[in-house]
Amino acid sequence: MKRRDFMKNALVFVSGASISASALEFIDPKKVLADNPDLRWAFLVDTHKCVGCGFCVKACKTENDIPMGANVTRTWVERYVTKKDGKTVSDSPKGALNGFTNKKIDQNHSGMLEVPDEDIAQAFFVPKLCNHCEIPACVQVCPVGATYSTKDGVVLVDRKWCIGCGYCIMGCPYGVRFFHPTEHVADKCTFCYHRISKGGNTACAQACPFEARRIGNLRDPNDPVAKAVLNQRVGILRDEYGTKPQVYYLGLNKEVH
Amino acid sequence: MVEQVAQMVVHGEAWTMKDLFVLPNEYVYWSIQIVLYPYMTGLVAGAFVLSSLYHVFGVEKLKEIARFALVFSFALLPTAMMPLMLHLQQPLRGIHVMMTPHFTSAISAFGIVFMTYACIVGAEIWFVYRKFIVESIERLGSKAKRSAIESLLLPIYKLISLGARDISPEAIHADHKATKILAGIGIPVACFLHGYAGFIFGSVKANALWMTPLMPVIFIMSAVVSGIALCIISYAIFMELRKWAARRGKNWLLPDALVHGEMTVSEKQLREVQEHEVTMTSKYLLMFMVLAITLELLDIIFRGYTAVKSWDILRDVIYEHDFVKIFVLQYGIGNALPFLMLLIPGITTRRACLACIFVLFGVLMMRWNVVIGGQAFSLTFKGFMHYTLPIIPHDIETFKEGLGGCLLVGSAPFVIFYFINMIFPAFYSEEEEAH
Ligand code: SF4
Ligand code: SF4
């Protein structure tokens, strides 16, 4: 091959390759759908306001088709009772699907624990859900990329691609994941992505009678959630794992993690 | 406000019992098949390392068992995949791991590492047996009347000879060289394959028991130990079987004799070979056991000494809930006892085999204590989960992840070995061929 021909061929090849590369870029669905630098979803839980009614759990199960009779849930509420001797007992029967209607603490196999009123120093409720971590452990460990982060900060599972290995369930430090009882793939909270990306509210926040739960956009300085995260003393769960969770808590106690 | 709703059993609920404060979604998701997965890969890797001791380091005394270990390792190979497939919720999608590997995940490289390893073992067997393959083609081809199996095997041999039918001394010499190189590459790959199984657990930062950089090394050592132990037992048992079958003329128990009739050797010869190989190999077993136990103890001591936040719950699990499983079954029966048995001088085949059974059991318990033990406590550090192996299956799930699935995986290598042995007779020796 003559040198000039070679140059010519190389030129054709390179330009051809770059055209196809740019074509690919053009249809990258992630970009088209969610490349929005002005949007970063985050969640604010005000534990002072939660009364443990469990409306959020019910609403979530209904909205997201998680069977009521299955003992798994995308969101749940925990109860913490600190006694005057400094010990804390906690429970979350059925994830508080039916609310906390019993004073006794459900210790699973060890039965129901009764704490007399006069022994109680403080008691409170803490709602939990997927933290949509900025550095999600679940995304890191998924062997097929079925769990992924969207550009606007939500972590989702592709139900058509998940092989059901359970590695993400093991990898999540918050225990928010489970196998969907009928779909047989990994499942967890999506921040109701189908609703919020159309301007709606999450089912749990909508169901909460006391505004203990709120979804918001961290990049919008006027957003109430963004304001609270910036101006108030918020905490996050288990920061020692380095996952940078994006669910912020007002009134977090040291027992909660 | 409590409504009556149809109850639905979710994955893991059938064999998990929760105690104290456990999160609603927590169950023992990784059950018996994930115990078996590192166990089986460990056996594959260990068997291969044993065979390489002869091929690479020229430990002449291990010649016979090395050949057997190589073929056996090949038979174990497909069964290392089985537990994973039985464990997946979507087994048909297993291939996605190869299609869209997500390389930040420890599991994603499994396909690649596993295939590389399979190729190495396959190629090594091919070089070791090439002369035999060519000779078999000639022998079977020249036969006027072939039995059904023989006429089935002839085309198989022709195919796997890949047309390389040169058995001049130079060609054979080249084969030996290739074998040595492959075995040499194979050792690090085998260690990688298994160390990587350890990494799958060691890298889960959410799990206080699993997360340690020692995990891959611990896994490699115990893998070599279990692989060698299994080879010793199987070798001895197969030898016994062969002796017995040779006496009685039960040819169906000698798959290689079925095809290569003249291969059955005298009983005396078999006995000598067996005694010698088994006692030799147990010396190597002892060596690797020391390494394995040291590492495991180091891990526990280190955890106790540094006593980070999770130590409170780990201590409960290690010293209370799983005490019997860890200290009695794993360290006592699985390590200390066989260690002494192998150490006492004047070792016999029988004693070595008994010790190896304990060793195998010990390594299985170690996998159990890691996989199940790692899920024995809640992420809250304030609750426990107890696992019971489903014995009698009442649906497909409790079969797959119960005793049934266990036995299926455990018996598969022997079935595969039976058939592979027809093609690559594991008990054939070259001297025999010479006269
Ligand atoms: S909370 Fe768990 S499931 Fe949710 S993003 Fe973080 S690691 Fe993933
Ligand atoms: S269960 Fe599904 S989403 Fe989770 S790691 Fe496995 S393939 Fe990925």
Side-chain angles (χ1 to χ4, degrees):
Chain A
M1 197 192 289
K2 265 193 262 144
R3 203 182 147 141
R4 246 184 74 194
D5 289 345
F6 173 76
M7 297 290 274
K8 213 167 104 190
N9 286 347
L11 203 69
V12 171
F13 177 77
V14 169
S15 50
S18 56
I19 285 174
S20 52
S22 55
L24 274 178
E25 195 133 59
F26 184 63
I27 51 159
D28 182 358
K30 262 196 217 147
K31 278 226 156 106
V32 177
L33 287 176
D35 192 5
N36 189 346
D38 301 328
L39 190 57
R40 206 301 168 201
W41 294 110
F43 205 86
L44 183 71
V45 177
D46 188 343
T47 56
H48 297 295
K49 289 181 179 161
C50 177
V51 300
C53 64
F55 284 2
C56 51
V57 182
K58 266 215 174 87
C60 172
K61 281 204 161 188
T62 312
E63 172 69 26
N64 295 299
D65 283 328
I66 311 296
M68 290 286 171
N71 282 326
V72 285
T73 176
R74 287 181 171 196
T75 184
W76 69 95
V77 184
E78 294 167 4
R79 167 167 64 181
Y80 290 79
V81 176
T82 306
K83 293 187 281 185
K84 289 194 176 136
D85 62 4
K87 292 210 176 84
T88 305
V89 282
S90 1
D91 69 344
S92 183
K94 287 198 182 298
L97 174 66
N98 302 310
F100 290 89
T101 49
N102 193 332
K103 271 195 174 178
K104 292 181 185 152
I105 312 287
D106 184 354
Q107 296 294 286
N108 288 301
H109 185 65
S110 296
M112 303 297 272
L113 183 75
E114 202 158 357
V115 185
D117 282 0
E118 58 275 14
D119 286 357
I120 299 176
Q122 63 163 325
F124 55 91
F125 300 101
V126 181
K128 294 256 181 101
L129 65 159
C130 169
N131 290 282
H132 294 271
C133 308
E134 203 168 305
I135 310 176
C138 54
V139 172
Q140 183 186 32
V141 299
C142 177
V144 296
T147 280
Y148 60 98
S149 300
T150 64
K151 284 267 161 74
D152 47 3
V154 176
V155 175
L156 299 173
V157 183
D158 184 345
R159 282 191 176 174
K160 292 209 179 64
W161 205 251
C162 168
I163 58 175
C165 63
Y167 206 9
C168 55
I169 303 179
M170 291 293 130
C172 169
Y174 305 91
V176 306
R177 290 182 164 248
F178 54 90
F179 279 128
H180 193 288
T182 53
E183 303 284 335
H184 302 292
V185 289
D187 201 277
K188 65 163 196 77
C189 156
T190 60
F191 271 175
C192 282
Y193 201 57
H194 57 296
R195 290 164 64 117
I196 57 172
S197 40
K198 288 196 200 116
N201 196 357
T202 69
C204 58
Q206 193 169 15
C208 180
F210 305 99
E211 278 202 333
R213 298 171 162 255
R214 285 184 105 145
I215 181 99
N217 174 13
L218 279 190
R219 301 272 155 77
D220 175 1
N222 295 319
D223 186 293
V225 172
K227 272 190 187 157
V229 170
L230 200 62
N231 305 327
Q232 300 197 44
R233 276 162 287 174
V234 290
I236 48 169
L237 300 174
R238 298 173 199 229
D239 62 341
E240 68 269 28
Y241 290 104
T243 50
K244 302 212 168 133
Q246 297 299 315
V247 173
Y248 296 87
Y249 286 85
L250 283 166
L252 207 56
N253 227 30
K254 68 176 187 342
E255 287 84 18
V256 185
H257 54 234
Chain B
M1 240 188 26
V2 181
E3 288 160 25
Q4 279 309 310
V5 280
Q7 283 302 309
M8 184 180 264
V9 179
V10 298
H11 181 81
E13 213 174 358
W15 50 76
T16 309
M17 190 198 76
K18 299 184 179 189
D19 193 19
L20 303 174
F21 183 34
V22 178
L23 299 178
N25 295 332
E26 281 187 295
Y27 295 100
V28 177
Y29 285 105
W30 279 6
S31 63
I32 188 69
Q33 292 298 347
I34 300 294
V35 175
L36 287 179
Y37 157 66
Y39 191 60
M40 298 312 280
T41 41
L43 293 176
V44 178
F48 186 80
V49 169
L50 178 60
S51 82
S52 298
L53 283 179
Y54 164 68
H55 290 298
V56 181
F57 304 110
V59 186
E60 269 301 319
K61 295 168 190 143
L62 297 181
K63 187 167 180 188
E64 303 299 322
I65 205 168
R67 183 186 299 271
F68 163 75
L70 183 64
V71 179
F72 200 47
S73 165
F74 194 57
L76 281 164
L77 205 56
T79 56
M81 286 285 238
M82 271 176 74
L84 279 188
M85 294 318 271
L86 287 172
H87 156 77
L88 291 188
Q89 290 285 294
Q90 301 280 352
L92 295 180
R93 294 184 189 166
I95 192 70
H96 290 187
V97 178
M98 308 265 202
M99 285 157 72
T100 54
H102 183 239
F103 286 114
T104 58
S105 163
I107 297 185
S108 73
F110 180 79
I112 294 162
V113 178
F114 189 80
M115 288 324 258
T116 314
Y117 181 69
C119 290
I120 290 176
V121 180
E124 192 179 334
I125 290 198
W126 189 77
F127 280 115
V128 170
Y129 279 93
R130 205 179 62 82
K131 178 158 170 255
F132 176 82
I133 293 172
V134 175
E135 282 166 357
S136 298
I137 294 176
E138 281 164 8
R139 189 170 52 78
L140 294 176
S142 61
K143 256 192 176 177
K145 241 179 118 217
R146 286 188 284 267
S147 70
I149 303 182
E150 283 174 337
S151 36
L152 185 72
L153 270 180
L154 185 58
I156 295 185
Y157 277 133
K158 280 189 175 155
L159 188 73
I160 55 177
S161 79
L162 300 177
R165 304 227 182 133
D166 178 7
I167 45 170
S168 61
E170 300 86 63
I172 297 299
H173 182 70
D175 282 358
H176 285 319
K177 221 164 137 191
T179 311
K180 199 166 169 164
I181 295 174
L182 280 170
I185 308 172
I187 294 180
V189 177
C191 288
F192 193 80
L193 171 74
H194 199 69
Y196 155 82
F199 188 80
I200 290 180
F201 298 97
S203 65
V204 176
K205 61 181 167 190
N207 193 303
L209 187 76
W210 292 348
M211 202 186 86
T212 157
L214 276 184
M215 198 60 99
V217 198
I218 293 178
F219 266 58
I220 291 174
M221 285 308 151
S222 53
V224 176
V225 168
S226 65
I228 295 181
L230 182 67
C231 282
I232 294 181
I233 302 177
S234 315
Y235 187 75
I237 291 179
F238 287 143
M239 280 302 208
E240 284 302 325
L241 263 181
R242 294 170 70 78
K243 276 189 269 181
W244 183 81
R247 255 197 322 263
R248 303 278 165 98
K250 296 234 190 290
N251 260 358
W252 58 271
L253 267 175
L254 305 165
D256 42 355
L258 228 48
V259 191
H260 315 277
E262 73 273 23
M263 295 201 54
T264 35
V265 280
S266 76
E267 200 189 320
K268 186 170 153 285
Q269 196 180 347
L270 277 175
R271 181 173 306 273
E272 273 167 18
V273 169
Q274 180 195 355
E275 283 283 341
H276 177 72
E277 299 280 326
V278 167
T279 46
M280 255 322 284
T281 316
S282 42
K283 295 223 172 68
Y284 284 91
L285 178 61
L286 211 52
M287 217 167 66
F288 282 106
M289 271 181 80
V290 174
L291 286 170
I293 300 170
T294 315
L295 282 168
E296 281 167 45
L297 287 180
L298 178 65
D299 184 50
I300 291 204
I301 293 170
F302 188 78
R303 284 170 193 280
Y305 190 79
T306 52
V308 292
K309 190 170 163 192
S310 56
W311 176 243
D312 272 342
I313 190 98
L314 288 188
R315 192 181 41 214
D316 279 354
V317 170
I318 295 175
Y319 293 121
E320 278 174 37
H321 293 254
D322 283 358
F323 184 84
V324 175
K325 283 187 217 123
I326 295 178
F327 290 99
V328 179
L329 299 182
Q330 183 187 330
Y331 288 118
I333 299 182
N335 287 345
L337 183 64
F339 191 76
L340 290 177
M341 287 172 76
L342 291 174
L343 217 52
I344 299 171
I347 187 152
T348 58
T349 308
R350 193 159 304 193
R351 176 139 57 88
C353 282
L354 199 61
C356 285
I357 292 177
F358 289 135
V359 167
L360 274 183
F361 173 74
V363 174
L364 181 66
M365 278 322 288
M366 180 251 168
R367 308 290 193 244
W368 177 290
N369 290 332
V370 168
V371 176
I372 306 292
Q375 298 169 83
F377 55 94
S378 163
L379 284 166
T380 61
F381 291 166
K382 289 204 195 101
F384 300 95
M385 286 183 282
H386 300 280
Y387 172 76
T388 23
L389 177 75
I391 307 274
I392 298 161
H394 45 80
D395 56 11
I396 183 78
E397 198 138 83
T398 41
F399 171 75
K400 280 197 322 184
E401 301 194 34
L403 190 64
C406 238
L407 295 177
L408 198 66
V409 173
S411 54
F414 298 98
V415 178
I416 298 176
F417 180 70
Y418 182 86
F419 290 104
I420 287 191
N421 205 10
M422 283 187 186
I423 304 174
F424 303 114
F427 302 96
Y428 128 103
S429 70
E430 267 162 20
E431 284 77 21
E432 203 181 299
E433 199 67 9
H435 47 252

